[in-house]
Amino acid sequence: MVGSVGRLRQSRGGSVYTQALDVHGDSTVPLDEAERERRFQTRVDREEKVEPKDWMPARYRATLIRQISQHAHSEIVGMLPEGNWITRAPTLLRKSILIAKVQDEGGHGAYLYSAAETLGVSRDQLIDQLLCGKAKYSSIFNYPTPTWADVGAIGWLVDGAAIMNQIPLCRCSYGPYARAMVRICREESFHQRQGFDIMMKLCAGTPEQKRMAQEALDRWWWPALMMFGPPDAASTHSTDSQRWKIKRFSNDELRQKFVDFTVPQAKFLGLTVPDPELRWNEALGRHEFGAIDWNEFERVLKGNGPCNRERLQARRRAHAEGAWVREAAMAHAEKLRRRAASCAA
Amino acid sequence: MNPSHEARPLYRYVLRLGDLALVLGQRLSEWVGHAPALEEDLGLANIALDLVGQARLLLAYAGEIEGRGRGEDEIAFLREQGEYLNPTLAEQPNGDFAETIVRQVLLDAFQLALYERLTSSRDERLAAVAEKAVKETRYHLRYSAGWLVRLGDGTTESRARAQRALERLWPYTVELFEADALDREMVEHGIAPPLEDVRSAWNRHIDEVLVEATLDRPADRPFTWFGKRGEHSEHLGYLLAEMQYLQRAYPGARW
Amino acid sequence: MPAESNDRDVHAEREWPLYEIFIRPRGGLDHKHVGSLHACDARMAIEHARDLYTRREEGVSIWAVPSVSITASDPEDAEALFEPARDKIYRHPTFYDIPPEVKTL
């Protein structure tokens, strides 16, 4: 049986894949797979949380590992486009805020890798997948941040879209993921506010600053809409995810909500959303908007966006150049253990 | 204190403290997103944040002492290179992780020894800043010293890198303790502690860490630059060009 | 150092061990599990936990425990371990109907 328990028991003697919680207890008479799935689905339908070491369908585990790790990778890669502006932040307060924000993003990555590890993978494995280009991360971070206004736009739009995706995840069926999301959502609203605050100052500033803000909105609007993923009709992963309460709202639903929330904010800033077909539909009580260029989405997803190569290269370099540091830390810890052991002897 | 008579020296002394925090914080923030492990991204960012926070308090105070209505940002972003009074050690480039950690240990121990004694400064503002900063700096030294020990007493490669970094940066420590007229004046007025006292405390911290890290203390060598008098190495120019860019490109704009 | 005998020979580097972190948010409260992190030794684990889990003043005390040291009950045994307690409702104070005249109970 390829399952969680089998793999965990292999992990004795080293910090290999997993959290390595030592599972005690006699194995009960195994139920058949279909019966287990049925009981599992009943629990999920009753809004009971699934915890590490609980039995779960292999596809549930695989889906979660994929989704949580993609989310974690996105946070880590996401540190780069904004981190780009830390040394050039225009005031000391903005510099502090930006360092804190990027630090939070690193922290979010850590919480998420931590949640993924409870499912039987190791962080090192996940990072390897990212660095060799096998794992995906949110395409939005493959766009450049050429101006300070892009830092504002990312906070306002990208974090705004992320919040919309993330709040429902706080009620996800998998306990560790839901708990990580609660922590993350608490921190994320600061991120969106500081971005909007940057935009407000720019829009109330000099003509050059206003233009900088408008051009950033022009650059980030459509990629932000693409963050919600392909249209429902074209989405491959959705039905299981919704049945298992991993995904609680559809892509289009969330995208619509985002547009409805954000358009008035742009109006408040005095900025023009770069969509000539955008209009308020009074009868339906929501905005209509233009067609998204899904070709661009596919292109960036496949690695041909403006910064895909740079982002991965930066992460690979950091990882490679840090190898001797990580080894030194392990070597030192080993020395401490040996000295402690010989003292005890 | 008579402002018109003593303002200028106090202004410059506070700049020395504030610019140390500013420049060192700027250097550390370059690591964010590029550190050897995710946890170190967070650890280094934490120190950078603390240092920028110290810079804000100190540079705002400097602006008040100066009395020309300049706030923390004008002082931080709009001075000429020769007006920055950080010690030259702070502006040295990050290099590899060993160089960054060595630079950090040397300056953390310096700041700790200094802030501990500044808590009893006759200048109440400085004493208050020191009171807050001393707790942060204790943690910074714990972090950086912890890493110096791991690197020094880790692998042969890490020890070689750490020793090399120590040799390269050691000469810059001379400046930290060489008292000049400004230092002496501050001691006379009970504002700053004598640098010999700071040096003794610093030596104790450094010797303790070096022993645990199994690293050799380099011999003292003569030294050329005195950043604390505005005479900087070539590195500060590049650092300032990057840091000051937006303020210089959009004069008078608010952010 | 012993060679890693599993299918992760793709890299020779050994991973930093996993630690579970427990934080006491305020004096008087219990330590609560907040998640895990990687560290080489106990001291590093505390520092990493401080940087990762207490950025917003969420703690006064940190416990870091190597994950391998934690023993977990098997969810398969949940019925045997926990259900018997469910129908012993007399363990709960609300089971008892004490007349309001009796104070301090």
mmCIF file of all heavy atoms in Angstrom, chain A residues 5-6 22 28 31 47 51 74 78 102 107 137-138 154 156 162 165 168 170 182 184 198 236 243 261 292 324 329 332:
data_model
loop_
_atom_site.group_PDB
_atom_site.id
_atom_site.type_symbol
_atom_site.label_atom_id
_atom_site.label_comp_id
_atom_site.label_asym_id
_atom_site.label_seq_id
_atom_site.Cartn_x
_atom_site.Cartn_y
_atom_site.Cartn_z
ATOM 1 N N VAL A 5 1.395 6.015 5.919
ATOM 2 C CA VAL A 5 1.993 5.274 7.027
ATOM 3 C C VAL A 5 3.206 4.494 6.549
ATOM 4 O O VAL A 5 4.258 4.491 7.172
ATOM 5 C CB VAL A 5 0.961 4.322 7.666
ATOM 6 C CG1 VAL A 5 1.619 3.478 8.735
ATOM 7 C CG2 VAL A 5 -0.179 5.134 8.254
ATOM 8 N N GLY A 6 3.073 3.848 5.378
ATOM 9 C CA GLY A 6 4.187 3.042 4.857
ATOM 10 C C GLY A 6 5.434 3.881 4.688
ATOM 11 O O GLY A 6 6.510 3.540 5.130
ATOM 12 N N ASP A 22 6.471 9.819 15.110
ATOM 13 C CA ASP A 22 6.532 8.393 15.325
ATOM 14 C C ASP A 22 5.134 7.888 15.638
ATOM 15 O O ASP A 22 4.577 8.206 16.685
ATOM 16 C CB ASP A 22 7.502 8.128 16.486
ATOM 17 C CG ASP A 22 7.758 6.644 16.643
ATOM 18 O OD1 ASP A 22 7.320 5.872 15.781
ATOM 19 O OD2 ASP A 22 8.396 6.285 17.647
ATOM 20 N N THR A 28 -5.121 -1.636 12.751
ATOM 21 C CA THR A 28 -6.437 -2.267 12.846
ATOM 22 C C THR A 28 -6.701 -3.049 11.559
ATOM 23 O O THR A 28 -5.960 -2.961 10.605
ATOM 24 C CB THR A 28 -7.523 -1.200 13.010
ATOM 25 O OG1 THR A 28 -7.288 -0.186 12.029
ATOM 26 C CG2 THR A 28 -7.438 -0.560 14.393
ATOM 27 N N LEU A 31 -9.816 -1.459 6.192
ATOM 28 C CA LEU A 31 -11.056 -1.377 5.449
ATOM 29 C C LEU A 31 -10.713 -1.315 3.981
ATOM 30 O O LEU A 31 -9.607 -0.953 3.621
ATOM 31 C CB LEU A 31 -11.800 -0.104 5.848
ATOM 32 C CG LEU A 31 -12.183 -0.014 7.320
ATOM 33 C CD1 LEU A 31 -12.540 1.411 7.674
ATOM 34 C CD2 LEU A 31 -13.345 -0.929 7.617
ATOM 35 N N GLU A 47 -17.616 19.188 7.299
ATOM 36 C CA GLU A 47 -16.677 20.272 7.658
ATOM 37 C C GLU A 47 -15.728 19.876 8.779
ATOM 38 O O GLU A 47 -15.223 20.741 9.496
ATOM 39 C CB GLU A 47 -17.426 21.565 8.063
ATOM 40 C CG GLU A 47 -18.304 22.163 6.971
ATOM 41 C CD GLU A 47 -17.517 22.956 5.919
ATOM 42 O OE1 GLU A 47 -16.297 23.156 6.088
ATOM 43 O OE2 GLU A 47 -18.129 23.361 4.921
ATOM 44 N N GLU A 51 -6.363 15.922 9.383
ATOM 45 C CA GLU A 51 -5.073 16.258 9.999
ATOM 46 C C GLU A 51 -3.994 15.306 9.486
ATOM 47 O O GLU A 51 -4.300 14.261 8.926
ATOM 48 C CB GLU A 51 -5.184 16.199 11.526
ATOM 49 C CG GLU A 51 -6.155 17.207 12.130
ATOM 50 C CD GLU A 51 -5.703 18.659 11.990
ATOM 51 O OE1 GLU A 51 -4.517 18.910 11.639
ATOM 52 O OE2 GLU A 51 -6.540 19.564 12.206
ATOM 53 N N SER A 74 5.488 30.439 -4.731
ATOM 54 C CA SER A 74 5.074 31.775 -5.153
ATOM 55 C C SER A 74 5.507 32.827 -4.150
ATOM 56 O O SER A 74 5.935 33.912 -4.523
ATOM 57 C CB SER A 74 3.558 31.839 -5.339
ATOM 58 O OG SER A 74 3.150 30.910 -6.306
ATOM 59 N N GLY A 78 8.085 35.522 -5.042
ATOM 60 C CA GLY A 78 7.472 36.841 -4.880
ATOM 61 C C GLY A 78 8.312 37.827 -4.088
ATOM 62 O O GLY A 78 8.099 39.031 -4.154
ATOM 63 N N VAL A 102 8.473 41.991 2.645
ATOM 64 C CA VAL A 102 9.193 40.905 1.985
ATOM 65 C C VAL A 102 9.571 39.823 3.014
ATOM 66 O O VAL A 102 9.519 38.630 2.724
ATOM 67 C CB VAL A 102 10.425 41.453 1.244
ATOM 68 C CG1 VAL A 102 11.261 40.338 0.672
ATOM 69 C CG2 VAL A 102 9.979 42.383 0.126
ATOM 70 N N GLY A 107 8.328 34.446 5.317
ATOM 71 C CA GLY A 107 7.679 33.721 6.410
ATOM 72 C C GLY A 107 6.499 32.896 5.915
ATOM 73 O O GLY A 107 6.308 31.753 6.332
ATOM 74 N N TYR A 137 4.893 28.129 -10.055
ATOM 75 C CA TYR A 137 4.584 29.150 -9.056
ATOM 76 C C TYR A 137 3.761 30.207 -9.767
ATOM 77 O O TYR A 137 3.675 30.212 -10.998
ATOM 78 C CB TYR A 137 5.854 29.752 -8.451
ATOM 79 C CG TYR A 137 6.802 30.344 -9.454
ATOM 80 C CD1 TYR A 137 6.700 31.675 -9.848
ATOM 81 C CD2 TYR A 137 7.816 29.567 -10.024
ATOM 82 C CE1 TYR A 137 7.571 32.207 -10.791
ATOM 83 C CE2 TYR A 137 8.678 30.096 -10.955
ATOM 84 C CZ TYR A 137 8.555 31.412 -11.331
ATOM 85 O OH TYR A 137 9.420 31.936 -12.258
ATOM 86 N N SER A 138 3.162 31.089 -9.009
ATOM 87 C CA SER A 138 2.258 32.062 -9.604
ATOM 88 C C SER A 138 2.970 32.912 -10.646
ATOM 89 O O SER A 138 3.976 33.554 -10.359
ATOM 90 C CB SER A 138 1.674 32.946 -8.505
ATOM 91 O OG SER A 138 0.722 33.813 -9.048
ATOM 92 N N ILE A 154 1.751 46.153 -7.012
ATOM 93 C CA ILE A 154 1.795 44.762 -6.556
ATOM 94 C C ILE A 154 1.042 44.619 -5.230
ATOM 95 O O ILE A 154 0.222 43.724 -5.049
ATOM 96 C CB ILE A 154 3.239 44.264 -6.409
ATOM 97 C CG1 ILE A 154 3.869 44.050 -7.781
ATOM 98 C CG2 ILE A 154 3.290 42.953 -5.619
ATOM 99 C CD1 ILE A 154 5.292 43.529 -7.714
ATOM 100 N N TRP A 156 -1.286 46.570 -4.007
ATOM 101 C CA TRP A 156 -2.704 46.853 -4.182
ATOM 102 C C TRP A 156 -3.406 45.731 -4.949
ATOM 103 O O TRP A 156 -4.418 45.189 -4.495
ATOM 104 C CB TRP A 156 -2.847 48.193 -4.914
ATOM 105 C CG TRP A 156 -4.218 48.547 -5.354
ATOM 106 C CD1 TRP A 156 -5.404 48.296 -4.713
ATOM 107 C CD2 TRP A 156 -4.556 49.243 -6.553
ATOM 108 N NE1 TRP A 156 -6.457 48.796 -5.425
ATOM 109 C CE2 TRP A 156 -5.976 49.377 -6.564
ATOM 110 C CE3 TRP A 156 -3.816 49.785 -7.624
ATOM 111 C CZ2 TRP A 156 -6.655 50.027 -7.611
ATOM 112 C CZ3 TRP A 156 -4.494 50.421 -8.648
ATOM 113 C CH2 TRP A 156 -5.896 50.535 -8.637
ATOM 114 N N ALA A 162 -4.587 38.008 -4.177
ATOM 115 C CA ALA A 162 -4.175 36.879 -3.333
ATOM 116 C C ALA A 162 -5.109 36.728 -2.135
ATOM 117 O O ALA A 162 -5.497 35.621 -1.770
ATOM 118 C CB ALA A 162 -2.732 37.068 -2.872
ATOM 119 N N ASN A 165 -8.246 34.998 -3.026
ATOM 120 C CA ASN A 165 -8.037 33.549 -3.162
ATOM 121 C C ASN A 165 -7.856 32.886 -1.814
ATOM 122 O O ASN A 165 -8.241 31.744 -1.599
ATOM 123 C CB ASN A 165 -6.751 33.278 -3.963
ATOM 124 C CG ASN A 165 -7.012 33.055 -5.415
ATOM 125 O OD1 ASN A 165 -8.001 32.456 -5.790
ATOM 126 N ND2 ASN A 165 -6.100 33.542 -6.243
ATOM 127 N N PRO A 168 -11.010 32.143 1.449
ATOM 128 C CA PRO A 168 -11.740 30.867 1.476
ATOM 129 C C PRO A 168 -10.860 29.693 1.924
ATOM 130 O O PRO A 168 -11.351 28.741 2.520
ATOM 131 C CB PRO A 168 -12.169 30.677 0.011
ATOM 132 C CG PRO A 168 -12.103 32.019 -0.610
ATOM 133 C CD PRO A 168 -11.071 32.801 0.125
ATOM 134 N N CYS A 170 -8.861 29.563 4.276
ATOM 135 C CA CYS A 170 -8.810 29.458 5.740
ATOM 136 C C CYS A 170 -9.785 28.392 6.227
ATOM 137 O O CYS A 170 -9.671 27.921 7.366
ATOM 138 C CB CYS A 170 -9.157 30.796 6.401
ATOM 139 S SG CYS A 170 -7.933 32.071 6.065
ATOM 140 N N VAL A 182 -4.817 31.024 7.852
ATOM 141 C CA VAL A 182 -5.333 32.005 8.817
ATOM 142 C C VAL A 182 -4.220 32.966 9.208
ATOM 143 O O VAL A 182 -4.380 34.190 9.220
ATOM 144 C CB VAL A 182 -5.900 31.292 10.067
ATOM 145 C CG1 VAL A 182 -6.148 32.288 11.191
ATOM 146 C CG2 VAL A 182 -7.184 30.561 9.714
ATOM 147 N N ILE A 184 -1.523 33.592 7.508
ATOM 148 C CA ILE A 184 -1.120 34.384 6.346
ATOM 149 C C ILE A 184 -2.107 35.509 6.070
ATOM 150 O O ILE A 184 -1.716 36.653 5.808
ATOM 151 C CB ILE A 184 -0.968 33.465 5.112
ATOM 152 C CG1 ILE A 184 0.291 32.606 5.274
ATOM 153 C CG2 ILE A 184 -0.901 34.269 3.821
ATOM 154 C CD1 ILE A 184 0.474 31.553 4.197
ATOM 155 N N ILE A 198 0.891 53.535 -1.086
ATOM 156 C CA ILE A 198 1.905 54.013 -2.030
ATOM 157 C C ILE A 198 1.214 54.660 -3.229
ATOM 158 O O ILE A 198 1.581 55.766 -3.663
ATOM 159 C CB ILE A 198 2.824 52.861 -2.502
ATOM 160 C CG1 ILE A 198 3.725 52.396 -1.365
ATOM 161 C CG2 ILE A 198 3.664 53.291 -3.702
ATOM 162 C CD1 ILE A 198 4.604 51.197 -1.712
ATOM 163 N N THR A 236 -8.836 22.485 -15.332
ATOM 164 C CA THR A 236 -8.725 21.023 -15.234
ATOM 165 C C THR A 236 -8.862 20.470 -13.818
ATOM 166 O O THR A 236 -9.382 19.392 -13.617
ATOM 167 C CB THR A 236 -7.365 20.529 -15.790
ATOM 168 O OG1 THR A 236 -6.341 21.376 -15.262
ATOM 169 C CG2 THR A 236 -7.340 20.572 -17.293
ATOM 170 N N ARG A 243 -14.954 19.327 -4.327
ATOM 171 C CA ARG A 243 -15.580 18.249 -3.543
ATOM 172 C C ARG A 243 -14.842 18.055 -2.218
ATOM 173 O O ARG A 243 -15.443 17.802 -1.175
ATOM 174 C CB ARG A 243 -15.536 16.963 -4.372
ATOM 175 C CG ARG A 243 -16.190 15.755 -3.739
ATOM 176 C CD ARG A 243 -16.504 14.707 -4.809
ATOM 177 N NE ARG A 243 -15.298 14.205 -5.478
ATOM 178 C CZ ARG A 243 -14.594 13.144 -5.072
ATOM 179 N NH1 ARG A 243 -14.965 12.487 -3.991
ATOM 180 N NH2 ARG A 243 -13.522 12.764 -5.731
ATOM 181 N N PHE A 261 -14.564 44.809 -6.569
ATOM 182 C CA PHE A 261 -13.953 45.511 -5.433
ATOM 183 C C PHE A 261 -12.974 46.564 -5.894
ATOM 184 O O PHE A 261 -12.856 47.641 -5.302
ATOM 185 C CB PHE A 261 -13.151 44.520 -4.560
ATOM 186 C CG PHE A 261 -13.964 43.815 -3.523
ATOM 187 C CD1 PHE A 261 -15.289 43.506 -3.734
ATOM 188 C CD2 PHE A 261 -13.387 43.443 -2.313
ATOM 189 C CE1 PHE A 261 -16.033 42.832 -2.776
ATOM 190 C CE2 PHE A 261 -14.128 42.775 -1.346
ATOM 191 C CZ PHE A 261 -15.437 42.468 -1.576
ATOM 192 N N ILE A 292 -9.743 38.371 -21.561
ATOM 193 C CA ILE A 292 -8.356 38.213 -21.107
ATOM 194 C C ILE A 292 -7.569 37.511 -22.199
ATOM 195 O O ILE A 292 -8.087 36.606 -22.856
ATOM 196 C CB ILE A 292 -8.334 37.391 -19.810
ATOM 197 C CG1 ILE A 292 -9.001 38.204 -18.690
ATOM 198 C CG2 ILE A 292 -6.925 36.980 -19.429
ATOM 199 C CD1 ILE A 292 -9.168 37.441 -17.391
ATOM 200 N N TRP A 324 27.651 25.979 0.851
ATOM 201 C CA TRP A 324 28.751 25.814 1.818
ATOM 202 C C TRP A 324 28.342 26.311 3.202
ATOM 203 O O TRP A 324 28.801 25.785 4.231
ATOM 204 C CB TRP A 324 30.021 26.529 1.333
ATOM 205 C CG TRP A 324 29.952 28.031 1.337
ATOM 206 C CD1 TRP A 324 29.567 28.830 0.305
ATOM 207 C CD2 TRP A 324 30.258 28.913 2.423
ATOM 208 N NE1 TRP A 324 29.612 30.147 0.683
ATOM 209 C CE2 TRP A 324 30.033 30.232 1.973
ATOM 210 C CE3 TRP A 324 30.702 28.719 3.732
ATOM 211 C CZ2 TRP A 324 30.236 31.348 2.783
ATOM 212 C CZ3 TRP A 324 30.902 29.834 4.552
ATOM 213 C CH2 TRP A 324 30.670 31.133 4.073
ATOM 214 N N ALA A 329 26.839 24.738 8.781
ATOM 215 C CA ALA A 329 25.922 24.681 9.924
ATOM 216 C C ALA A 329 25.671 23.233 10.345
ATOM 217 O O ALA A 329 25.668 22.913 11.538
ATOM 218 C CB ALA A 329 24.615 25.382 9.580
ATOM 219 N N HIS A 332 28.813 21.811 11.995
ATOM 220 C CA HIS A 332 28.972 22.321 13.351
ATOM 221 C C HIS A 332 28.024 21.620 14.313
ATOM 222 O O HIS A 332 28.412 21.224 15.411
ATOM 223 C CB HIS A 332 28.742 23.826 13.378
ATOM 224 C CG HIS A 332 28.858 24.414 14.740
ATOM 225 N ND1 HIS A 332 30.068 24.543 15.384
ATOM 226 C CD2 HIS A 332 27.924 24.866 15.602
ATOM 227 C CE1 HIS A 332 29.866 25.066 16.585
ATOM 228 N NE2 HIS A 332 28.576 25.270 16.742
#
